[in-house]
Amino acid sequence: MDLFLRSWTALREAVAELPDEDFGRPSGCTGWLVRDLACHLIVDAQDVLITLVTPADTEPTRDALTYWDVTATPPTGEDPLDALTVRLAAAYGEPWLLKFHLDDVGSAAGRAARLADPGARVSTRDEVLTAGDFLMTYVMEWTLHHLDLIAHLPHVAGPPAEGLARSRGMLEDIAGAAFPKSFSDTDALLIGTGRRAPTDAEQTELGALAAELPFVLN
């Protein structure tokens, strides 16, 4: 719970502190501006709220690792839901409205997570997880999207170190292989999820793992 809250708070604070002009800059998500990413975070916060109040009485079918559908195809930005996010973000008109809604819904999602029983079973996407495992998937989500937020905004603080380390560990577990120790947690996540291509030197260090990249998490 603590790691979820630290990761989520850091991401929300980073968005809240952005000047208006930064909302029109590209993000690390293909086809999305920063304003589109901020809008997506509102939808994510709604997902947290909905899932935590959707109890399940059957055994878990997924955990924090198997929750993800893993593909090798990076998003193009042309998916209907991605396109809808762009239209929703544009409808806000002013960045302060996005900030206000993210703070409002995002704060509620944080409170719900703090109150949740980690062992309680919840349902989402026709699957059952414990609340603790569900929130741990969002540590990965928040961390990756924090990296997306700062992709073209070097003046903005990045995600917490502990969130980066845990997300790297989860990605390595999903991949069934470790990234080179010389890779920072940030580089392992960016390269591992296809957010940037490895350099020639990094490609060599990756060895056989390079042929399996990327691990795109959906």
Side-chain angles (χ1 to χ4, degrees):
M1 297 299 185
D2 288 346
L3 189 51
F4 170 92
L5 291 169
R6 286 198 298 274
S7 299
W8 185 217
T9 299
L11 179 51
R12 286 169 40 227
E13 288 179 348
V15 174
E17 294 170 3
L18 292 178
D20 286 0
E21 58 268 23
D22 282 351
F23 282 81
R25 302 187 190 281
S27 77
C29 298
T30 302
W32 279 3
L33 302 176
V34 167
R35 72 179 187 188
D36 306 323
L37 176 57
C39 184
H40 174 73
L41 296 178
I42 293 170
V43 176
D44 272 353
Q46 292 171 337
D47 178 54
V48 171
L49 285 168
I50 292 167
T51 300
L52 290 179
V53 294
T54 306
D57 56 9
T58 58
E59 290 296 316
T61 57
R62 303 271 183 128
D63 60 25
L65 300 179
T66 60
Y67 168 84
W68 300 100
D69 293 326
V70 184
T71 74
T73 306
T76 63
E78 297 176 358
D79 179 272
L81 287 177
D82 290 346
L84 175 61
T85 299
V86 173
R87 295 197 296 273
L88 285 173
Y92 276 88
E94 299 292 336
W96 73 265
L97 287 170
L98 273 169
K99 289 182 179 182
F100 173 81
H101 200 183
L102 179 58
D103 179 66
D104 191 34
V105 181
S107 296
R111 290 192 297 272
R114 189 178 289 109
L115 294 170
D117 174 1
R121 297 167 188 172
V122 295
S123 179
T124 182
R125 303 199 312 187
D126 295 323
E127 303 286 354
V128 176
L129 303 87
T130 65
D133 274 338
F134 172 70
L135 293 175
M136 190 53 64
T137 69
Y138 265 99
V139 172
M140 175 79 84
E141 178 87 353
W142 303 146
T143 300
L144 290 175
H145 280 327
H146 202 143
L147 294 175
D148 292 329
L149 178 72
I150 67 173
H152 303 282
L153 301 174
H155 57 284
V156 178
E162 57 268 42
L164 287 165
R166 180 65 66 86
S167 297
R168 177 191 184 144
M170 287 194 289
L171 182 61
E172 290 180 334
D173 286 341
I174 290 168
F179 290 90
K181 291 183 178 179
S182 62
F183 283 29
S184 69
D185 293 336
T186 294
D187 286 333
L189 290 168
L190 293 176
I191 293 169
T193 61
R195 282 168 163 79
R196 80 165 175 84
T199 65
D200 290 343
E202 289 168 337
Q203 185 94 356
T204 299
E205 283 192 81
L206 284 164
L209 183 57
E212 300 181 39
L213 298 178
F215 299 98
V216 180
L217 308 180
N218 297 302

